[in-house]
Amino acid sequence: MNKSQTKFVLMALALCLVLSSVVFAAGSKESENDGIVLSTYLQIDPANPQQQGYVEMQAAFEASRPDITFKHEYATGEAFHQKFQAMVASRELPDVFTTYIGKRTAYVTETGNALDLNTYLTDDFKKQFSDATWESQGPNGEIYTIAPSMAVCHAMYVNTDLLKEIGLEIPTTYEELLDQVQPIRDAGYYPISMGNKDQWVVNSWLLSAFVDRMGGKTWFNKAMTGSASFTDAPFVKSLEIINEMVQKNVFSPGVNQMSNTEADQEFYQQKSVYLIDAGWRTSAMVTTLPQEQQDAIEMIVFPALPGEVQSNSSAAVLSEGFGINAKLGGTPEGQAAFDFIAYYTGEEGASIRLKNGEIPTYKLDYSGLDLPGLQLKYAEFQQNHPMGYVIDAKMDGEGMGILNPDIQAMMFGNLTPDEVASRYEAWVKDNDSNRDK
């Protein structure tokens, strides 16, 4: 055998070894440890202390299900999305992956690559979660992700000590709030702190809640897709109320020049009676304010608006969660993957994540848990209030470059509510991807 023949034989043997290892790896999906092997690609950094809840949950699940073995891959930020998009393009998706509710991972959920979880969902399972968890995520009611938590983007914090000092009570209607403005100012305080320097704040934390009150999700879905318009009454009236609040001095001075952090500090320093902010602000209050001041803070939604069709609602964005490869539908691996997601989002995982500072969508019984008072109020707030849409989470982000500056211009007196609505509707009609459907 000459040198070239010897080289060929060696190469052939090497190729056989490679192929045999590939075949073994492909067969290991069901054979490793005589159980099921699930591959994952998750937008998580296990080394980050903020991910401790996930790390503990994962360990607890693996201990409870030794029949399931995981092969994890983690990434964060844009690097996660870049590789994920490449996986989708090559049709080489893992079994379980991070998904967002909305457009952020539409390249997976809107391309037939994510499994509709309705196959596994029962009414008894669903009623254990906040209602907002089950908003349709596809055109036919599909659910691709069980959100483990939500970001509540509207809450109204009340300094009850200041209210008592002034001789007032928590208002139940918008008119009652307006009646409080002068007494509060006469007592040397500001009515409401809010910082709109960054322009998006009033949109996300106030207008979104108002639009839900005035039109509800049914109207918003129509406006989003074009069978209704953002020049309709629910949107215009919501803008008019914000404009009236400016004109009647409901906000503290310089609302449009004040950052959100400065507005928080104004409330923390007890210069204002109310603060409009996000629900997760309770975490900062717990670590920043003395206990006596924390105890005096109540967490409510904005009072009832005249003509509202949805009462007592806030606005929220559901968090990212985990989806399942559509190819696993009807397989033991698919059931195992759902069992993992159900554990993560359900009672066991929710209890672990709560201990690490996350308020879950799962309806835990908080009565026997040792939570800081404000964190408990936040948890109960999520369970007790319907959640409307956050506008910038439903509509294309580029349009916020029109709407947010125009809201600020309206608050400065440079645009009318009708003009803001007309300019935004014109942009949506010509550009927003929701109108293409």
Side-chain angles (χ1 to χ4, degrees):
M1 184 181 293
N2 59 36
K3 288 185 178 181
S4 61
Q5 289 175 320
T6 303
K7 184 177 181 181
F8 176 80
V9 170
L10 290 173
M11 289 177 64
L13 288 172
L15 179 61
C16 288
L17 287 172
V18 170
L19 288 174
S20 66
S21 67
V22 170
V23 171
F24 175 79
S28 71
K29 181 124 183 153
E30 296 183 9
S31 63
E32 187 169 316
N33 297 328
D34 296 321
I36 290 173
V37 179
L38 294 177
S39 60
T40 74
Y41 183 58
L42 307 179
Q43 190 174 29
I44 285 172
D45 177 6
N48 187 332
Q50 293 183 346
Q51 301 290 346
Q52 185 61 31
Y54 163 79
V55 173
E56 291 185 21
M57 179 284 307
Q58 181 71 47
F61 179 77
E62 291 183 9
S64 72
R65 291 293 300 270
D67 59 312
I68 302 175
T69 302
F70 288 89
K71 292 187 178 298
H72 290 299
E73 181 177 356
Y74 301 108
T76 58
E78 283 306 308
F80 168 84
H81 290 282
Q82 290 168 2
K83 183 169 183 176
F84 202 11
Q85 288 172 317
M87 289 176 171
V88 174
S90 63
R91 297 287 178 177
E92 295 181 356
L93 285 168
D95 300 321
V96 179
F97 37 73
T98 294
T99 47
Y100 285 74
I101 297 170
K103 296 180 179 295
R104 192 66 179 95
T105 50
Y107 52 83
V108 175
T109 56
E110 294 183 6
T111 55
N113 288 293
L115 185 66
D116 180 5
L117 302 183
N118 278 306
T119 303
Y120 304 103
L121 300 176
T122 65
D123 289 341
D124 285 341
F125 181 85
K126 291 167 69 174
K127 71 182 181 182
Q128 299 175 79
F129 293 78
S130 299
D131 291 343
T133 311
W134 309 117
E135 287 290 330
S136 175
Q137 298 168 21
N140 300 304
E142 292 90 347
I143 298 293
Y144 302 114
T145 307
I146 303 174
S149 60
M150 69 174 79
V152 175
C153 295
H154 167 78
M156 188 163 166
Y157 297 94
V158 186
N159 186 323
T160 59
D161 282 347
L162 294 186
L163 271 186
K164 291 175 184 177
E165 176 188 323
I166 303 167
L168 300 173
E169 297 181 353
I170 294 176
T172 59
T173 67
Y174 175 57
E175 293 85 353
E176 290 177 1
L177 175 64
L178 291 181
D179 289 340
Q180 290 187 357
V181 170
Q182 197 57 50
I184 290 173
R185 287 187 171 275
D186 288 345
Y189 301 107
Y190 301 130
I192 294 178
S193 289
M194 192 173 190
N196 193 48
K197 181 179 180 180
D198 294 326
Q199 297 183 336
W200 59 266
V201 176
V202 166
N203 182 358
S204 295
W205 293 353
L206 193 58
L207 179 63
S208 295
F210 283 5
V211 169
D212 187 67
R213 298 283 188 88
M214 302 307 292
K217 290 182 175 178
T218 300
W219 174 84
F220 192 94
N221 286 330
K222 291 178 179 179
M224 183 168 62
T225 55
S227 56
S229 169
F230 286 102
T231 58
D232 291 349
F235 198 72
V236 175
K237 182 60 178 175
S238 298
L239 289 167
E240 288 175 347
I241 293 172
I242 293 172
N243 199 41
E244 183 180 38
M245 290 173 67
V246 175
Q247 294 172 347
K248 294 192 173 180
N249 296 315
V250 178
F251 297 112
S252 56
V255 58
N256 282 315
Q257 293 91 7
M258 185 185 301
S259 70
N260 184 63
T261 300
E262 290 170 328
D264 291 342
Q265 289 301 317
E266 191 173 76
F267 181 75
Y268 296 169
Q269 294 167 14
Q270 304 192 74
K271 296 179 180 179
S272 58
V273 175
Y274 303 105
L275 170 70
I276 292 177
D277 207 321
W280 62 83
R281 195 62 59 213
T282 54
S283 297
M285 292 180 183
V286 166
T287 58
T288 301
L289 302 179
Q291 189 61 51
E292 183 179 1
Q293 190 173 348
Q294 292 182 43
D295 293 341
I297 295 174
E298 288 297 329
M299 187 177 184
I300 65 172
V301 292
F302 198 89
L305 301 177
E308 67 180 22
V309 300
Q310 170 68 58
S311 63
N312 207 35
S313 66
S314 176
V317 177
L318 292 169
S319 70
E320 70 271 22
F322 301 146
I324 300 175
N325 191 327
K327 293 180 179 179
L328 269 59
T331 67
E333 289 80 17
Q335 182 63 58
F338 179 76
D339 291 348
F340 168 64
I341 292 172
Y343 187 95
Y344 175 58
T345 58
E347 182 176 7
E348 297 89 346
S351 298
I352 293 170
R353 291 182 291 108
L354 176 70
K355 183 180 67 175
N356 286 277
E358 182 179 334
I359 303 297
T361 52
Y362 185 87
K363 296 178 180 178
L364 288 170
D365 179 6
Y366 295 103
S367 59
L369 300 177
D370 184 20
L371 282 178
L374 280 171
Q375 289 294 75
L376 178 59
K377 289 176 182 178
Y378 183 30
E380 293 173 340
F381 182 97
Q382 291 192 26
Q383 293 187 3
N384 295 334
H385 294 283
M387 295 293 164
Y389 295 138
V390 178
I391 295 170
D392 60 16
K394 300 296 288 185
M395 308 300 294
D396 287 357
E398 295 86 350
M400 299 307 108
I402 301 294
L403 180 58
N404 291 346
D406 280 1
I407 293 171
Q408 191 179 74
M410 177 191 74
M411 296 173 71
F412 275 126
N414 297 325
L415 288 173
T416 68
D418 283 314
E419 289 171 334
V420 175
S422 295
R423 285 163 55 89
Y424 183 57
E425 170 61 26
W427 187 93
V428 171
K429 182 179 179 181
D430 291 340
N431 301 282
D432 197 284
S433 61
N434 291 290
R435 294 287 176 93
D436 294 337
K437 297 179 180 179

